[in-house]
Amino acid sequence: MMHHMLQQAANNAMAMGPTVLLQGMQLQRPLDVVSAPAISVDDKRAILAAWASDFYAVDSKPALRQLPGTPEPVLIDEEQFALKELDRRYGI
């Protein structure tokens, strides 16, 4: 029973992922994350990295990614550009 509950909690956390950090924010595109003043650099990187991961790939369209709660999928190229822009802005 306890193992089942822990597994369910882990699955729920994976499904929600970075959307927990986005609650209440109007972030629709990856560059919105880069520009958001209320999010730390580490959280921005976590959100963008998760958004770019295969876990959020759109079924049958591997070049698209969509975080739960965002209005539409974005191209993986847009994600990668946002990660590079984050590095550029913060000198990482």
Side-chain angles (χ1 to χ4, degrees):
M1 176 71 165
M2 181 62 112
H3 174 72
H4 175 71
M5 288 172 44
L6 290 172
Q7 185 62 51
Q8 186 176 4
N11 291 343
N12 289 343
M14 282 180 49
M16 289 182 66
T19 59
V20 170
L21 297 170
L22 300 176
Q23 288 179 352
M25 296 186 182
Q26 297 298 318
L27 303 172
Q28 299 180 7
R29 314 295 302 181
L31 282 178
D32 295 339
V33 175
V34 174
S35 300
I39 303 173
S40 73
V41 175
D42 290 338
D43 286 345
K44 288 177 184 186
R45 178 166 301 289
I47 292 165
L48 293 171
W51 203 343
S53 77
D54 289 342
F55 187 79
Y56 293 108
V58 176
D59 288 340
S60 301
K61 296 180 182 178
L64 295 176
R65 303 291 191 271
Q66 184 167 16
L67 278 181
T70 57
E72 61 188 18
V74 296
L75 288 171
I76 187 66
D77 293 344
E78 187 175 343
E79 287 297 324
Q80 292 172 343
F81 177 81
L83 281 165
K84 288 178 187 174
E85 180 62 15
L86 183 70
D87 289 347
R88 187 191 70 76
R89 288 188 189 185
Y90 293 96
I92 299 172

